[in-house]
Amino acid sequence: MKLLSIAVPCYNSESYMEKCIDSLLVGGEDVEILIVDDGSKDRTAEIADAYAAKYPTICKAVHKPNGGHGSAVNAGIENATGLFFKVVDSDDWVKEIAYRKILSTLAELAGGEKQLDLLISNFVYNKVGEKRHKVMRYNRMFPIEQLFTWKDIKRTPKGHYLLMHSVIFRTKLLKQCGLKLPEHTFYVDNIYVFNPLPFVKTMYYLDVNFYYYYIGREDQSVNQKIMLSRIDQQIRVNKLMVDYYVENYGMIRSQRERHKYMFNYLEIITAISSVLLITEDTPENLAKRKELLDYIKEKNYLLYLKIRYSIEGTYIYLPGKGGRKITLAGYKLLQKIFHFN
């Protein structure tokens, strides 16, 4: 069995996927690299096959009809044979020194008495035009280089969350928890780092800058203009997360810190949806914003009250045109501070 399976979802990725895959090959025989061609129309499939032919014991090309990022991740999980599982997007890459540390740590923990469910590491926002790249660390949140549980978490500050770039799950956990990401939908990485958490018991945090997250392509899904054009998909993901939270509330709340973390994450995703909807202050978007809040209210009235009337909620959901202007001004200030989007 391989130590780590790495899925690389690819769609028309011919111009940058080789940099990504080459950075992963450093792992050698400890890893399997699943290059998932999601119905690409360029040379992506050809490049994937070339890697599989050149490195037959490491690389595997998975070809499938186009289904979107979530569908490609699903295919990666289905084909994974490694003990642990990681997603690396085709325009991103990993740092060699941190990568070797990740693999040696996984190997050590794989032979331990307690089973590891989730390994966490840092990621770097590699944003075009920025001389200094922001590093997302979790050293104030988690114990460093030790196995821990939800009870051992130091704090769960709002605005500081695990993203797909920072997590490595135990493969069997992803399969056993029934994770299935929706097809033809963007922003499903939020579901990927949310739904498995009720099944996670043990974690380990390495304070190393492993994953380099490229931001700069005009067609990238996190580009604000692109997000606005795909707002219905953001709302769909938001609603699916609400459904999951409500339906699994008993299991989620059984660990206080996990419950706090998952509520905070759901709250921030809802806030992002709301702010995006008022960025273009149209009657249609305002109706969608109201419909989202009404959806949460209908699903669980207490959850709605906690989101709508939290300290953050009072600033996010200010009434009237003047209130929306204040919300947007605050959002733009946070953009400058944290360099997101």
Side-chain angles (χ1 to χ4, degrees), residues 73-99:
V73 173
N74 291 339
I77 296 172
E78 290 166 7
N79 285 273
T81 63
L83 187 58
F84 298 97
F85 183 83
K86 174 74 179 171
V87 179
V88 178
D89 286 333
S90 58
D91 52 354
D92 300 333
W93 63 92
V94 301
K95 194 77 170 179
E96 180 177 345
I97 296 175
Y99 189 17

PDB file of all heavy atoms in Angstrom, residues 73-99:
ATOM      1  N   VAL A  73     -12.452  15.245  -7.807  1.00  0.00           N
ATOM      2  CA  VAL A  73     -12.018  14.829  -6.456  1.00  0.00           C
ATOM      3  C   VAL A  73     -12.666  13.495  -6.090  1.00  0.00           C
ATOM      4  O   VAL A  73     -12.010  12.601  -5.536  1.00  0.00           O
ATOM      5  CB  VAL A  73     -12.362  15.906  -5.409  1.00  0.00           C
ATOM      6  CG1 VAL A  73     -12.072  15.398  -3.996  1.00  0.00           C
ATOM      7  CG2 VAL A  73     -11.575  17.183  -5.675  1.00  0.00           C
ATOM      8  N   ASN A  74     -13.951  13.338  -6.413  1.00  0.00           N
ATOM      9  CA  ASN A  74     -14.632  12.064  -6.158  1.00  0.00           C
ATOM     10  C   ASN A  74     -13.908  10.912  -6.851  1.00  0.00           C
ATOM     11  O   ASN A  74     -13.707   9.842  -6.261  1.00  0.00           O
ATOM     12  CB  ASN A  74     -16.075  12.116  -6.668  1.00  0.00           C
ATOM     13  CG  ASN A  74     -16.961  13.044  -5.860  1.00  0.00           C
ATOM     14  OD1 ASN A  74     -16.666  13.361  -4.710  1.00  0.00           O
ATOM     15  ND2 ASN A  74     -18.049  13.483  -6.449  1.00  0.00           N
ATOM     16  N   ALA A  75     -13.519  11.138  -8.105  1.00  0.00           N
ATOM     17  CA  ALA A  75     -12.805  10.110  -8.863  1.00  0.00           C
ATOM     18  C   ALA A  75     -11.455   9.796  -8.217  1.00  0.00           C
ATOM     19  O   ALA A  75     -11.015   8.637  -8.197  1.00  0.00           O
ATOM     20  CB  ALA A  75     -12.605  10.564 -10.308  1.00  0.00           C
ATOM     21  N   GLY A  76     -10.807  10.833  -7.678  1.00  0.00           N
ATOM     22  CA  GLY A  76      -9.544  10.618  -6.988  1.00  0.00           C
ATOM     23  C   GLY A  76      -9.718   9.733  -5.772  1.00  0.00           C
ATOM     24  O   GLY A  76      -8.947   8.793  -5.540  1.00  0.00           O
ATOM     25  N   ILE A  77     -10.734  10.013  -4.975  1.00  0.00           N
ATOM     26  CA  ILE A  77     -11.007   9.210  -3.771  1.00  0.00           C
ATOM     27  C   ILE A  77     -11.336   7.769  -4.159  1.00  0.00           C
ATOM     28  O   ILE A  77     -10.847   6.817  -3.541  1.00  0.00           O
ATOM     29  CB  ILE A  77     -12.157   9.832  -2.957  1.00  0.00           C
ATOM     30  CG1 ILE A  77     -11.756  11.207  -2.424  1.00  0.00           C
ATOM     31  CG2 ILE A  77     -12.560   8.915  -1.794  1.00  0.00           C
ATOM     32  CD1 ILE A  77     -12.892  11.983  -1.776  1.00  0.00           C
ATOM     33  N   GLU A  78     -12.145   7.596  -5.191  1.00  0.00           N
ATOM     34  CA  GLU A  78     -12.540   6.253  -5.632  1.00  0.00           C
ATOM     35  C   GLU A  78     -11.347   5.425  -6.090  1.00  0.00           C
ATOM     36  O   GLU A  78     -11.299   4.209  -5.875  1.00  0.00           O
ATOM     37  CB  GLU A  78     -13.555   6.361  -6.774  1.00  0.00           C
ATOM     38  CG  GLU A  78     -14.917   6.883  -6.342  1.00  0.00           C
ATOM     39  CD  GLU A  78     -15.780   7.303  -7.520  1.00  0.00           C
ATOM     40  OE1 GLU A  78     -15.360   7.054  -8.671  1.00  0.00           O
ATOM     41  OE2 GLU A  78     -16.857   7.894  -7.290  1.00  0.00           O
ATOM     42  N   ASN A  79     -10.373   6.074  -6.708  1.00  0.00           N
ATOM     43  CA  ASN A  79      -9.209   5.355  -7.243  1.00  0.00           C
ATOM     44  C   ASN A  79      -8.031   5.283  -6.278  1.00  0.00           C
ATOM     45  O   ASN A  79      -7.039   4.608  -6.570  1.00  0.00           O
ATOM     46  CB  ASN A  79      -8.748   6.017  -8.547  1.00  0.00           C
ATOM     47  CG  ASN A  79      -9.651   5.701  -9.717  1.00  0.00           C
ATOM     48  OD1 ASN A  79      -9.482   4.686 -10.394  1.00  0.00           O
ATOM     49  ND2 ASN A  79     -10.630   6.559  -9.971  1.00  0.00           N
ATOM     50  N   ALA A  80      -8.133   5.963  -5.155  1.00  0.00           N
ATOM     51  CA  ALA A  80      -7.007   6.025  -4.213  1.00  0.00           C
ATOM     52  C   ALA A  80      -6.792   4.693  -3.516  1.00  0.00           C
ATOM     53  O   ALA A  80      -7.733   4.058  -3.042  1.00  0.00           O
ATOM     54  CB  ALA A  80      -7.259   7.121  -3.181  1.00  0.00           C
ATOM     55  N   THR A  81      -5.531   4.277  -3.431  1.00  0.00           N
ATOM     56  CA  THR A  81      -5.161   3.055  -2.706  1.00  0.00           C
ATOM     57  C   THR A  81      -4.238   3.355  -1.531  1.00  0.00           C
ATOM     58  O   THR A  81      -3.889   2.457  -0.778  1.00  0.00           O
ATOM     59  CB  THR A  81      -4.466   2.058  -3.649  1.00  0.00           C
ATOM     60  OG1 THR A  81      -3.244   2.632  -4.132  1.00  0.00           O
ATOM     61  CG2 THR A  81      -5.365   1.703  -4.825  1.00  0.00           C
ATOM     62  N   GLY A  82      -3.810   4.613  -1.400  1.00  0.00           N
ATOM     63  CA  GLY A  82      -2.896   4.986  -0.335  1.00  0.00           C
ATOM     64  C   GLY A  82      -3.580   5.065   1.017  1.00  0.00           C
ATOM     65  O   GLY A  82      -4.807   5.170   1.111  1.00  0.00           O
ATOM     66  N   LEU A  83      -2.779   5.042   2.062  1.00  0.00           N
ATOM     67  CA  LEU A  83      -3.303   5.117   3.423  1.00  0.00           C
ATOM     68  C   LEU A  83      -3.908   6.491   3.701  1.00  0.00           C
ATOM     69  O   LEU A  83      -4.923   6.610   4.383  1.00  0.00           O
ATOM     70  CB  LEU A  83      -2.177   4.827   4.420  1.00  0.00           C
ATOM     71  CG  LEU A  83      -2.550   4.705   5.897  1.00  0.00           C
ATOM     72  CD1 LEU A  83      -3.582   3.604   6.116  1.00  0.00           C
ATOM     73  CD2 LEU A  83      -1.310   4.449   6.743  1.00  0.00           C
ATOM     74  N   PHE A  84      -3.300   7.544   3.147  1.00  0.00           N
ATOM     75  CA  PHE A  84      -3.783   8.918   3.325  1.00  0.00           C
ATOM     76  C   PHE A  84      -4.077   9.539   1.952  1.00  0.00           C
ATOM     77  O   PHE A  84      -3.611   9.049   0.922  1.00  0.00           O
ATOM     78  CB  PHE A  84      -2.770   9.752   4.092  1.00  0.00           C
ATOM     79  CG  PHE A  84      -2.504   9.247   5.489  1.00  0.00           C
ATOM     80  CD1 PHE A  84      -1.406   8.435   5.753  1.00  0.00           C
ATOM     81  CD2 PHE A  84      -3.362   9.562   6.528  1.00  0.00           C
ATOM     82  CE1 PHE A  84      -1.173   7.952   7.036  1.00  0.00           C
ATOM     83  CE2 PHE A  84      -3.138   9.079   7.812  1.00  0.00           C
ATOM     84  CZ  PHE A  84      -2.042   8.272   8.063  1.00  0.00           C
ATOM     85  N   PHE A  85      -4.840  10.628   1.977  1.00  0.00           N
ATOM     86  CA  PHE A  85      -5.311  11.224   0.720  1.00  0.00           C
ATOM     87  C   PHE A  85      -5.169  12.738   0.752  1.00  0.00           C
ATOM     88  O   PHE A  85      -5.532  13.394   1.722  1.00  0.00           O
ATOM     89  CB  PHE A  85      -6.781  10.855   0.488  1.00  0.00           C
ATOM     90  CG  PHE A  85      -7.345  11.355  -0.808  1.00  0.00           C
ATOM     91  CD1 PHE A  85      -7.138  10.655  -1.986  1.00  0.00           C
ATOM     92  CD2 PHE A  85      -8.092  12.534  -0.853  1.00  0.00           C
ATOM     93  CE1 PHE A  85      -7.664  11.117  -3.194  1.00  0.00           C
ATOM     94  CE2 PHE A  85      -8.625  13.002  -2.047  1.00  0.00           C
ATOM     95  CZ  PHE A  85      -8.408  12.285  -3.217  1.00  0.00           C
ATOM     96  N   LYS A  86      -4.669  13.280  -0.360  1.00  0.00           N
ATOM     97  CA  LYS A  86      -4.454  14.716  -0.498  1.00  0.00           C
ATOM     98  C   LYS A  86      -4.913  15.183  -1.875  1.00  0.00           C
ATOM     99  O   LYS A  86      -4.741  14.468  -2.871  1.00  0.00           O
ATOM    100  CB  LYS A  86      -2.952  15.036  -0.333  1.00  0.00           C
ATOM    101  CG  LYS A  86      -2.551  16.486  -0.582  1.00  0.00           C
ATOM    102  CD  LYS A  86      -2.981  17.372   0.547  1.00  0.00           C
ATOM    103  CE  LYS A  86      -2.553  18.819   0.324  1.00  0.00           C
ATOM    104  NZ  LYS A  86      -3.157  19.721   1.317  1.00  0.00           N
ATOM    105  N   VAL A  87      -5.504  16.372  -1.950  1.00  0.00           N
ATOM    106  CA  VAL A  87      -5.851  16.998  -3.228  1.00  0.00           C
ATOM    107  C   VAL A  87      -4.884  18.151  -3.481  1.00  0.00           C
ATOM    108  O   VAL A  87      -4.679  18.999  -2.608  1.00  0.00           O
ATOM    109  CB  VAL A  87      -7.295  17.533  -3.226  1.00  0.00           C
ATOM    110  CG1 VAL A  87      -7.610  18.210  -4.559  1.00  0.00           C
ATOM    111  CG2 VAL A  87      -8.291  16.420  -2.946  1.00  0.00           C
ATOM    112  N   VAL A  88      -4.275  18.157  -4.652  1.00  0.00           N
ATOM    113  CA  VAL A  88      -3.418  19.269  -5.069  1.00  0.00           C
ATOM    114  C   VAL A  88      -3.924  19.740  -6.429  1.00  0.00           C
ATOM    115  O   VAL A  88      -3.889  18.990  -7.407  1.00  0.00           O
ATOM    116  CB  VAL A  88      -1.934  18.855  -5.169  1.00  0.00           C
ATOM    117  CG1 VAL A  88      -1.091  20.031  -5.663  1.00  0.00           C
ATOM    118  CG2 VAL A  88      -1.415  18.366  -3.816  1.00  0.00           C
ATOM    119  N   ASP A  89      -4.416  20.959  -6.498  1.00  0.00           N
ATOM    120  CA  ASP A  89      -4.936  21.480  -7.760  1.00  0.00           C
ATOM    121  C   ASP A  89      -3.811  21.659  -8.779  1.00  0.00           C
ATOM    122  O   ASP A  89      -2.662  21.941  -8.418  1.00  0.00           O
ATOM    123  CB  ASP A  89      -5.670  22.790  -7.535  1.00  0.00           C
ATOM    124  CG  ASP A  89      -7.025  22.588  -6.870  1.00  0.00           C
ATOM    125  OD1 ASP A  89      -7.607  21.494  -7.039  1.00  0.00           O
ATOM    126  OD2 ASP A  89      -7.501  23.509  -6.183  1.00  0.00           O
ATOM    127  N   SER A  90      -4.157  21.534 -10.047  1.00  0.00           N
ATOM    128  CA  SER A  90      -3.145  21.437 -11.100  1.00  0.00           C
ATOM    129  C   SER A  90      -2.353  22.716 -11.335  1.00  0.00           C
ATOM    130  O   SER A  90      -1.318  22.694 -12.001  1.00  0.00           O
ATOM    131  CB  SER A  90      -3.799  20.997 -12.412  1.00  0.00           C
ATOM    132  OG  SER A  90      -4.817  21.903 -12.798  1.00  0.00           O
ATOM    133  N   ASP A  91      -2.817  23.847 -10.806  1.00  0.00           N
ATOM    134  CA  ASP A  91      -2.049  25.092 -10.956  1.00  0.00           C
ATOM    135  C   ASP A  91      -1.283  25.448  -9.685  1.00  0.00           C
ATOM    136  O   ASP A  91      -0.685  26.520  -9.590  1.00  0.00           O
ATOM    137  CB  ASP A  91      -2.949  26.262 -11.371  1.00  0.00           C
ATOM    138  CG  ASP A  91      -4.162  26.438 -10.464  1.00  0.00           C
ATOM    139  OD1 ASP A  91      -4.370  25.594  -9.578  1.00  0.00           O
ATOM    140  OD2 ASP A  91      -4.893  27.434 -10.649  1.00  0.00           O
ATOM    141  N   ASP A  92      -1.297  24.542  -8.715  1.00  0.00           N
ATOM    142  CA  ASP A  92      -0.558  24.747  -7.470  1.00  0.00           C
ATOM    143  C   ASP A  92       0.635  23.802  -7.417  1.00  0.00           C
ATOM    144  O   ASP A  92       0.844  22.993  -8.319  1.00  0.00           O
ATOM    145  CB  ASP A  92      -1.482  24.501  -6.271  1.00  0.00           C
ATOM    146  CG  ASP A  92      -2.687  25.428  -6.253  1.00  0.00           C
ATOM    147  OD1 ASP A  92      -2.585  26.543  -6.805  1.00  0.00           O
ATOM    148  OD2 ASP A  92      -3.732  25.041  -5.711  1.00  0.00           O
ATOM    149  N   TRP A  93       1.422  23.877  -6.359  1.00  0.00           N
ATOM    150  CA  TRP A  93       2.569  22.982  -6.212  1.00  0.00           C
ATOM    151  C   TRP A  93       2.937  22.864  -4.741  1.00  0.00           C
ATOM    152  O   TRP A  93       2.372  23.572  -3.895  1.00  0.00           O
ATOM    153  CB  TRP A  93       3.757  23.478  -7.035  1.00  0.00           C
ATOM    154  CG  TRP A  93       4.298  24.815  -6.626  1.00  0.00           C
ATOM    155  CD1 TRP A  93       5.298  25.085  -5.756  1.00  0.00           C
ATOM    156  CD2 TRP A  93       3.832  26.101  -7.095  1.00  0.00           C
ATOM    157  NE1 TRP A  93       5.499  26.438  -5.637  1.00  0.00           N
ATOM    158  CE2 TRP A  93       4.619  27.082  -6.441  1.00  0.00           C
ATOM    159  CE3 TRP A  93       2.847  26.504  -7.985  1.00  0.00           C
ATOM    160  CZ2 TRP A  93       4.426  28.439  -6.658  1.00  0.00           C
ATOM    161  CZ3 TRP A  93       2.662  27.856  -8.206  1.00  0.00           C
ATOM    162  CH2 TRP A  93       3.448  28.806  -7.557  1.00  0.00           C
ATOM    163  N   VAL A  94       3.883  21.967  -4.433  1.00  0.00           N
ATOM    164  CA  VAL A  94       4.289  21.763  -3.042  1.00  0.00           C
ATOM    165  C   VAL A  94       5.792  22.009  -2.897  1.00  0.00           C
ATOM    166  O   VAL A  94       6.548  21.896  -3.856  1.00  0.00           O
ATOM    167  CB  VAL A  94       3.931  20.348  -2.535  1.00  0.00           C
ATOM    168  CG1 VAL A  94       2.428  20.111  -2.637  1.00  0.00           C
ATOM    169  CG2 VAL A  94       4.700  19.267  -3.292  1.00  0.00           C
ATOM    170  N   LYS A  95       6.189  22.341  -1.674  1.00  0.00           N
ATOM    171  CA  LYS A  95       7.594  22.643  -1.354  1.00  0.00           C
ATOM    172  C   LYS A  95       8.307  21.369  -0.930  1.00  0.00           C
ATOM    173  O   LYS A  95       7.828  20.640  -0.058  1.00  0.00           O
ATOM    174  CB  LYS A  95       7.646  23.679  -0.223  1.00  0.00           C
ATOM    175  CG  LYS A  95       9.001  24.317  -0.027  1.00  0.00           C
ATOM    176  CD  LYS A  95       9.282  25.364  -1.089  1.00  0.00           C
ATOM    177  CE  LYS A  95      10.514  26.182  -0.759  1.00  0.00           C
ATOM    178  NZ  LYS A  95      10.809  27.185  -1.792  1.00  0.00           N
ATOM    179  N   GLU A  96       9.463  21.107  -1.534  1.00  0.00           N
ATOM    180  CA  GLU A  96      10.146  19.823  -1.339  1.00  0.00           C
ATOM    181  C   GLU A  96      10.494  19.528   0.119  1.00  0.00           C
ATOM    182  O   GLU A  96      10.222  18.422   0.619  1.00  0.00           O
ATOM    183  CB  GLU A  96      11.427  19.770  -2.182  1.00  0.00           C
ATOM    184  CG  GLU A  96      12.174  18.454  -2.024  1.00  0.00           C
ATOM    185  CD  GLU A  96      13.410  18.366  -2.905  1.00  0.00           C
ATOM    186  OE1 GLU A  96      13.548  19.194  -3.837  1.00  0.00           O
ATOM    187  OE2 GLU A  96      14.234  17.464  -2.652  1.00  0.00           O
ATOM    188  N   ILE A  97      11.099  20.461   0.831  1.00  0.00           N
ATOM    189  CA  ILE A  97      11.534  20.197   2.209  1.00  0.00           C
ATOM    190  C   ILE A  97      10.339  19.857   3.094  1.00  0.00           C
ATOM    191  O   ILE A  97      10.362  18.893   3.863  1.00  0.00           O
ATOM    192  CB  ILE A  97      12.309  21.412   2.781  1.00  0.00           C
ATOM    193  CG1 ILE A  97      13.588  21.644   1.995  1.00  0.00           C
ATOM    194  CG2 ILE A  97      12.608  21.213   4.259  1.00  0.00           C
ATOM    195  CD1 ILE A  97      14.354  22.887   2.402  1.00  0.00           C
ATOM    196  N   ALA A  98       9.278  20.651   2.970  1.00  0.00           N
ATOM    197  CA  ALA A  98       8.072  20.396   3.754  1.00  0.00           C
ATOM    198  C   ALA A  98       7.425  19.077   3.343  1.00  0.00           C
ATOM    199  O   ALA A  98       6.917  18.321   4.184  1.00  0.00           O
ATOM    200  CB  ALA A  98       7.085  21.546   3.581  1.00  0.00           C
ATOM    201  N   TYR A  99       7.451  18.775   2.053  1.00  0.00           N
ATOM    202  CA  TYR A  99       6.876  17.532   1.509  1.00  0.00           C
ATOM    203  C   TYR A  99       7.541  16.315   2.143  1.00  0.00           C
ATOM    204  O   TYR A  99       6.871  15.366   2.580  1.00  0.00           O
ATOM    205  CB  TYR A  99       7.087  17.551  -0.002  1.00  0.00           C
ATOM    206  CG  TYR A  99       6.407  16.479  -0.815  1.00  0.00           C
ATOM    207  CD1 TYR A  99       5.361  15.712  -0.322  1.00  0.00           C
ATOM    208  CD2 TYR A  99       6.817  16.254  -2.143  1.00  0.00           C
ATOM    209  CE1 TYR A  99       4.741  14.754  -1.119  1.00  0.00           C
ATOM    210  CE2 TYR A  99       6.198  15.311  -2.942  1.00  0.00           C
ATOM    211  CZ  TYR A  99       5.178  14.549  -2.425  1.00  0.00           C
ATOM    212  OH  TYR A  99       4.569  13.608  -3.214  1.00  0.00           O
TER     213      TYR A  99
END
